[in-house]
Amino acid sequence: MKEATPLIVDLDKTLIYTDSLVESVVLLIKKNPVYFFIIFFWLFKGKARLKTEIVNRVSLDIETLPYNKPFIEWLKVEKEKGRKLYLVTAAHKEIAKKVMNYLNFFDGFFATEESCNLKGSKKCALIKEKIGDDFVYAGDSKVDLLIWKDSEAAVLVNAPSSLANEVRKKTIIEAEFPRKKIGIRTWLRALRIHQWVKNILLFVPLLTAFEFLNVFKIFSVIFAFLAYSLVASGTYVLNDIFDLNSDRAHMLKRHRPFACGDIQIINGIVIAGIFFILALTIALYISEVFTAILAFYFILTVTYSLFFKKHIIIDVIILSFLYTLRIIAGVTVIQVDISSWLFAFSMFLFLSLALIKRCGELVSFGKEDQKRTIVGRDYMPSDLVVLWPLGVGASLLAIVVLSLFINAPETQQKYASPELLWGPAVVIMYWLGRMWIKTSRGEIDDDPILYVIKDSISYMIFFFTISITIISYFYTI
């Protein structure tokens, strides 16, 4: 094989770990969900027309795409040797042109235009016509077999082992860049299994109504917990897919599985769909009311991801309500009356936690530019002067509601030793104050739930609160 043989490089899942068409579709639907239905009309007219219509309406952030860095470094070395490099892709020409200009080492590019979807046999014919019969092709998928058959050698990038074995039968392998190994841990990160801890809130009505000895109701809440968790994981997947651009611009979130290309968007959508179907099946088994609440939770979460998270204050109010909605769901499962005290306390408490999340992001964002907003959010570091007192104030309001509840006539009658409830009130006030101090120090940089999971003091406070509440209800002291 001649050293100077031109090297043809594919884009999707080869030069980048993701698929530019799928990402463009996500951007389009995020821009206006109505396009979800319109794209099928465009697709009916052909893939080339579809890609043209999409690229005319949305533009990918080329600089933040998850590039295959080891492969790119190898390409740069080949370029330094004097080798001709061409980007030949089924992606639209506007995307290919921007990628070529950004990387600045390709000698030319060929891509899909409105009249021709450059894939398979069409790509092979173009390569022979424009570049010649002597070439090496770098690709990743089975559709590239036709091209490898006519190439002098192959460069395998992110190709499965079965495909690699098939290519070896057709041509020489010049270089190979194995696909990333995606294990269960990567999927657990994508599904945010640790966030299932939030759904423990469904068990709160069991405690406040003192129904935790009712085996039937316990199992009902366990099934509700599973349904809620499946929906939550599915919506986290959708949220990460819709937030690709902002996540890639974030110091920490850019390492999330979808943002860095570890998991393909299509695979995430399939798993999310399976989770939603399983959750719906479980919810219908529990009750129609619980199913309605779960559906409302899903709709509100998706609309939050698409619209509300971009609006200051509205986003944290919705987040606090989503927490409280879990308690309401738990109430419907065990069929008890919801306490107005519990509703008010939880709203203020979770508003405080939602503001901790935002303040933590702003603190970690840095103080270099007080007027620069966080990507995908309507917040800037200078807003902290308002958010600090707002969040601490919400914490204090939660404690005030709890204090009024302790002194309420119905509490005095219901509990054997209501005065013991002042113990939990004090430690909850301490816990919230401590959370805010930790946030101001930058120790809670993004997600307070992750911090709580690792915090032993939080566990002790929760155990003390639950224990004293049970004792105050059953025992006279």
Side-chain angles (χ1 to χ4, degrees):
M1 183 186 69
K2 297 179 181 179
E3 187 174 291
T5 303
L7 178 60
I8 313 302
V9 180
D10 191 19
L11 175 63
D12 295 325
K13 302 179 187 177
T14 302
L15 192 63
I16 58 177
Y17 286 117
T18 187
D19 187 308
S20 60
L21 175 60
V22 175
E23 293 220 5
S24 298
V25 169
V26 169
L27 269 182
L28 187 66
I29 294 174
K30 184 177 181 181
K31 180 180 179 180
N32 188 342
V34 174
Y35 281 118
F36 174 81
F37 303 100
I38 297 176
I39 59 176
F40 291 102
F41 172 74
W42 293 335
L43 183 60
F44 181 74
K45 296 184 177 182
K47 267 198 171 183
R49 175 66 181 275
L50 170 69
K51 293 173 182 179
T52 301
E53 294 290 350
I54 293 174
V55 83
N56 287 338
R57 289 166 173 79
V58 292
S59 178
L60 289 177
D61 187 351
I62 298 300
E63 294 185 11
T64 61
L65 288 174
Y67 288 92
N68 189 332
K69 292 181 180 179
F71 180 49
I72 287 176
E73 290 304 314
W74 181 78
L75 289 174
K76 289 179 179 178
V77 172
E78 293 300 305
K79 180 66 177 177
E80 289 173 1
K81 293 178 181 178
R83 193 173 194 176
K84 294 289 186 180
L85 305 179
Y86 296 93
L87 179 62
V88 182
T89 173
H92 194 273
K93 64 178 182 179
E94 292 299 323
I95 296 174
K97 182 179 179 180
K98 291 177 182 178
V99 170
M100 186 186 77
N101 292 337
Y102 173 64
L103 294 177
N104 198 30
F105 56 67
F106 284 107
D107 295 286
F109 79 95
F110 300 95
T112 291
E113 300 185 23
E114 187 171 0
S115 59
C116 175
N117 184 45
L118 197 62
K119 195 168 186 177
S121 59
K122 292 181 180 179
K123 181 187 284 190
C124 188
L126 181 137
I127 292 172
K128 291 180 178 181
E129 177 188 348
K130 301 292 185 180
I131 300 171
D133 292 330
D134 298 330
F135 64 90
V136 175
Y137 183 77
D140 71 289
S141 67
K142 201 165 186 177
V143 73
D144 296 324
L145 282 171
L146 181 65
I147 303 172
W148 277 317
K149 180 182 177 183
D150 292 339
S151 66
E152 283 196 11
V155 176
L156 298 177
V157 186
N158 299 325
S161 57
S162 57
L163 177 62
N165 292 332
E166 198 168 347
V167 174
R168 286 188 179 93
K169 298 175 183 178
K170 299 180 181 297
T171 188
I172 301 169
I173 305 295
E174 178 180 337
E176 190 168 357
F177 298 85
R179 61 168 51 188
K180 292 182 181 180
K181 291 184 178 180
I182 306 303
I184 187 66
R185 286 189 177 183
T186 304
W187 274 106
L188 291 178
R189 284 174 54 216
L191 296 171
R192 311 271 188 89
I193 300 299
H194 64 275
Q195 296 285 4
W196 286 19
V197 69
K198 295 177 181 178
N199 300 323
I200 291 176
L201 291 171
L202 276 86
F203 291 88
V204 169
L206 275 176
L207 175 64
T208 57
F210 299 95
E211 295 281 355
F212 47 80
L213 297 179
N214 188 314
V215 177
F216 175 77
K217 290 185 177 181
I218 290 173
F219 275 99
S220 295
V221 177
I222 289 174
F223 280 112
F225 172 86
L226 180 58
Y228 232 97
S229 298
L230 290 170
V231 170
S233 285
T235 53
Y236 277 126
V237 167
L238 294 182
N239 178 74
D240 284 357
I241 290 172
F242 286 132
D243 272 1
L244 286 173
N245 282 352
S246 55
D247 282 355
R248 286 169 182 163
H250 193 278
M251 181 175 58
L252 299 175
K253 296 178 181 180
R254 63 187 177 188
H255 300 297
R256 286 178 173 175
F258 292 103
C260 69
D262 283 350
I263 298 178
Q264 294 299 312
I265 293 173
I266 292 297
N267 295 340
I269 292 173
V270 170
I271 292 297
I274 293 172
F275 274 28
F276 292 145
I277 292 172
L278 290 174
L280 178 62
T281 303
I282 297 171
L284 289 171
Y285 169 77
I286 295 171
S287 74
E288 292 181 358
V289 176
F290 175 74
T291 303
I293 291 176
L294 194 60
F296 178 65
Y297 169 83
F298 167 75
I299 293 169
L300 187 58
T301 303
V302 172
T303 53
Y304 167 81
S305 297
L306 289 173
F307 308 110
F308 295 124
K309 72 188 309 179
K310 302 174 186 176
H311 300 282
I312 193 167
I313 302 301
I314 293 177
D315 64 329
V316 291
I317 292 175
I318 291 178
L319 281 178
S320 64
F321 179 71
L322 287 172
Y323 279 108
T324 304
L325 192 61
R326 291 171 167 89
I327 296 178
I328 296 174
V331 167
T332 62
V333 171
I334 65 173
Q335 298 180 343
V336 295
D337 293 331
I338 186 169
S339 166
S340 57
W341 294 109
L342 178 60
F343 182 82
F345 171 74
S346 61
M347 278 297 296
F348 288 125
L349 174 67
F350 298 132
L351 177 61
S352 178
L353 292 178
L355 286 164
I356 283 177
K357 180 178 174 66
R358 288 291 171 265
C359 289
E361 290 176 339
L362 291 170
V363 170
S364 64
F365 194 59
K367 300 179 180 179
E368 291 81 7
D369 190 350
Q370 294 291 305
K371 298 298 181 182
R372 187 160 59 100
T373 58
I374 297 177
V375 178
R377 299 281 192 268
D378 191 26
Y379 292 93
M380 56 183 67
S382 59
D383 294 332
L384 283 170
V385 68
V386 175
L387 296 178
W388 289 128
L390 187 62
V392 174
S395 297
L396 294 175
L397 283 172
I399 300 303
V400 168
V401 170
L402 183 56
S403 301
L404 292 172
F405 165 74
I406 294 171
N407 286 315
E410 59 267 33
T411 305
Q412 296 294 319
Q413 294 176 1
K414 184 177 180 180
Y415 286 77
S417 302
E419 62 277 4
L420 291 179
L421 293 173
W422 287 108
V426 171
V427 296
I428 290 174
M429 182 169 61
Y430 161 75
W431 179 72
L432 287 170
R434 181 172 176 270
M435 291 286 286
W436 277 105
I437 290 174
K438 294 292 185 181
T439 303
S440 68
R441 292 176 179 176
E443 296 179 32
I444 304 178
D445 54 11
D446 178 33
D447 193 342
I449 298 299
L450 282 176
Y451 180 84
V452 169
I453 290 174
K454 301 174 183 177
D455 182 40
S456 58
I457 292 180
S458 294
Y459 284 107
M460 288 189 287
I461 288 173
F462 297 154
F463 177 77
F464 174 82
T465 299
I466 293 171
S467 300
I468 296 300
T469 300
I470 294 173
I471 291 171
S472 67
Y473 182 82
F474 288 105
Y475 300 99
T476 302
I477 297 177

